[in-house]
Amino acid sequence: MAFTPLHDRVLVRRIEGEDKTKGGLIIPDSAKEKPAEGMVVSAGAGARKDSGELIAPAVKAGDRILFGKWSGTEVKLDGEDLLIMKESDILGIIS
């Protein structure tokens, strides 16, 4: 994929949740919520301070992250649904 986000933006691929509950019930597609977990595909160079100094992003490609339910802008690149969001929309990194 030939796409690199600018500044402090991050390109994220959603990670789909389970199709079954712990009790074994199958969840239909109409009842599923969009997952708030994803994998960082690529990250921009970082934000800039008022002095012009570059602040490196805390996430890198391959990190599993949690983000807010309404975070980011949905885009379709190479037939794949992805999200572009600011680094500040990311709640944390899953290790």
Side-chain angles (χ1 to χ4, degrees), residues 67-68 70-74 83-86 89:
F67 51 87
W70 305 106
S71 298
T73 302
E74 294 182 356
L83 287 170
I84 298 175
M85 65 180 69
K86 286 189 155 259
D89 291 340

Side-chain angles (χ1 to χ4, degrees), residues 6-92:
L6 296 176
H7 309 295
D8 64 338
R9 295 204 175 6
V10 179
L11 186 65
V12 176
R13 178 182 300 117
R14 287 188 193 267
I15 297 175
E16 295 299 324
E18 294 291 322
D19 290 342
K20 291 185 180 181
T21 63
K22 290 181 181 178
L25 297 174
I26 297 173
I27 303 170
D29 288 338
S30 60
K32 286 184 190 175
E33 288 192 16
K34 290 184 178 180
E37 184 177 332
M39 181 80 62
V40 176
V41 177
S42 63
R48 294 216 178 254
K49 293 182 181 179
D50 289 336
S51 64
E53 183 183 343
L54 187 67
I55 304 169
V59 296
K60 61 186 179 305
D63 284 348
R64 285 178 63 127
I65 59 167
L66 288 177
F67 51 87
K69 188 174 186 177
W70 305 106
S71 298
T73 302
E74 294 182 356
V75 295
K76 193 167 211 154
L77 295 172
D78 295 336
E80 186 176 10
D81 291 327
L82 300 168
L83 287 170
I84 298 175
M85 65 180 69
K86 286 189 155 259
E87 186 183 21
S88 60
D89 291 340
I90 296 173
L91 303 175

